[in-house]
Amino acid sequence: MVVTKYSKKRKLQGQGQVQSSAATTSATSVKGKDEENSALPSTVQSDNMEPVAKMGRWVNKERVLVFSSRGIGSRERHLMRDLRALMPHSKPDVKMHKSEKLLEINEIAEMKNCNKVLFFESKKNQDLYLWASNSPAGPSVKFLVENVHTMDELKLTGNCLRGSRPVLSFDSSFDELPHFQLLKELFTQIFSTPHNHPKSQPFIDNVYTFSINDNRIWFRNYQIVEETGSLTEIGPRFVLNPFKIFEGSFGGPTLWHNPHYTSPNVYRRAMRKALAQKYAIRHHNKEKNEERKTTLGPTYKKDVTHDVFVTIDSSQID
């Protein structure tokens, strides 16, 4: 039998077709197995398990306006800057002129889309007052700020993440009296960072403590140390002496007045009076001593040789 080139070509083509058909059959079987495996569910959920409801992002829309009046000092300005750094939900504004009325702050808060206000008011370039208000409905509280120490001034070792959410710790005395209960609720709404706020961090690494001592509210900021669970102070420090609680925002009827409050002017006048009284007592004692010497004479025995070295002029010699 003679094999030509044409017959060899046909034979090779037939072998190629058989190999391609076998490869197609194997690929089809693998694909079918993959489809069967993909048809099975990846996870099996229990019939009794209910789907978890998704929480909406940033539900609490609390915003705090933090600004001051003109005339505050450098320490008070740094304190205001520290409070802004502690609260990621705060908003700044320019200084307010002293001739403007306090009721205009409600309009500023409305333009800034804020419903809480912390306003620092300076008087006589030495007294600092703090207004904490729920704008525009009220109530509002006026404090005298005392014993101010900023973060830069203290140089403490504590540190926390900027924008982290704090834990608010209140003294048990806040639950005893009605006006302290109102202050606790107002501080909670102002200083607590809203959940899922865009500028906040999902961490809790510091504590704000509010303590009542000597009818004043003492504020401290501590870091939570992860290794031991102890607290390390960060700052700032300040003491709030509540003056009055008003029904409205920056005004209205007075709901509560502090009977233990002493105005800084009255305190300074009492200090000047105490110094003047001390001088008056010393001057009175001096006059009494002079009068006693002239009337009673010397109260000690005179030495006979006391006048030996006294110089006598010629006019005194007879």
Side-chain angles (χ1 to χ4, degrees), residues 106-139:
N106 296 324
E107 300 178 2
I108 300 174
E110 184 179 0
M111 289 187 295
K112 289 286 186 177
N113 197 16
C114 297
N115 48 10
K116 298 293 185 297
V117 178
L118 287 178
F119 177 68
F120 291 89
E121 184 181 9
S122 176
K123 291 186 177 181
K124 295 186 176 180
N125 295 327
Q126 54 185 346
D127 300 330
L128 180 65
Y129 293 90
L130 174 63
W131 286 84
S133 174
N134 180 27
S135 179

Side-chain angles (χ1 to χ4, degrees), residues 183 240 292:
L183 293 178
L240 298 177
R292 180 175 54 82

Side-chain angles (χ1 to χ4, degrees), residues 82-287:
D82 292 343
L83 290 181
R84 288 175 182 172
L86 293 178
M87 296 186 294
H89 58 292
S90 63
K91 285 190 175 182
D93 196 57
V94 297
K95 294 180 181 179
M96 184 176 178
H97 200 274
K98 292 184 178 181
S99 61
E100 299 179 4
K101 297 182 179 180
L102 294 177
L103 294 177
E104 298 179 4
I105 300 178
N106 296 324
E107 300 178 2
I108 300 174
E110 184 179 0
M111 289 187 295
K112 289 286 186 177
N113 197 16
C114 297
N115 48 10
K116 298 293 185 297
V117 178
L118 287 178
F119 177 68
F120 291 89
E121 184 181 9
S122 176
K123 291 186 177 181
K124 295 186 176 180
N125 295 327
Q126 54 185 346
D127 300 330
L128 180 65
Y129 293 90
L130 174 63
W131 286 84
S133 174
N134 180 27
S135 179
S140 59
V141 189
K142 186 177 182 180
F143 302 95
L144 175 65
V145 185
E146 302 172 338
N147 301 333
V148 176
H149 300 282
T150 62
M151 291 184 184
D152 297 335
E153 179 184 359
L154 293 174
K155 302 294 183 182
L156 297 173
T157 58
N159 192 12
C160 66
L161 186 65
R162 186 181 181 92
S164 60
R165 302 182 63 210
V167 176
L168 302 184
S169 175
F170 290 92
D171 190 2
S172 59
S173 303
F174 277 94
D175 299 328
E176 296 177 357
L177 298 175
H179 60 277
F180 282 134
Q181 294 177 2
L182 188 146
L183 293 178
K184 178 181 178 180
E185 180 64 26
L186 186 61
F187 286 149
T188 302
Q189 296 182 14
I190 290 177
F191 287 96
S192 60
T193 303
H195 186 52
N196 291 328
H197 191 275
K199 295 183 180 179
S200 65
Q201 299 292 337
F203 304 103
I204 299 176
D205 58 355
N206 58 331
V207 181
Y208 298 162
T209 61
F210 298 88
S211 305
I212 298 177
N213 188 15
D214 194 20
N215 298 312
R216 291 170 172 82
I217 301 174
W218 300 65
F219 176 85
R220 296 291 185 272
N221 180 23
Y222 296 97
Q223 174 196 0
I224 302 175
V225 182
E226 297 180 359
E227 291 79 4
T228 60
S230 60
L231 300 178
T232 304
E233 189 172 357
I234 305 173
R237 297 177 182 176
F238 56 89
V239 180
L240 298 177
N241 189 1
F243 176 38
K244 283 184 179 181
I245 299 178
F246 300 94
E247 183 179 358
S249 179
F250 297 97
T254 302
L255 300 179
W256 175 78
H257 175 73
N258 188 3
H260 307 285
Y261 175 78
T262 302
S263 173
N265 295 328
V266 176
Y267 177 76
R268 285 190 290 267
R269 184 165 60 249
M271 293 297 295
R272 289 194 299 267
K273 187 176 180 180
L275 293 176
Q277 188 70 18
K278 184 178 179 180
Y279 171 77
I281 293 174
R282 187 171 65 252
H283 185 69
H284 178 70
N285 293 335
K286 185 177 179 180
E287 291 180 349

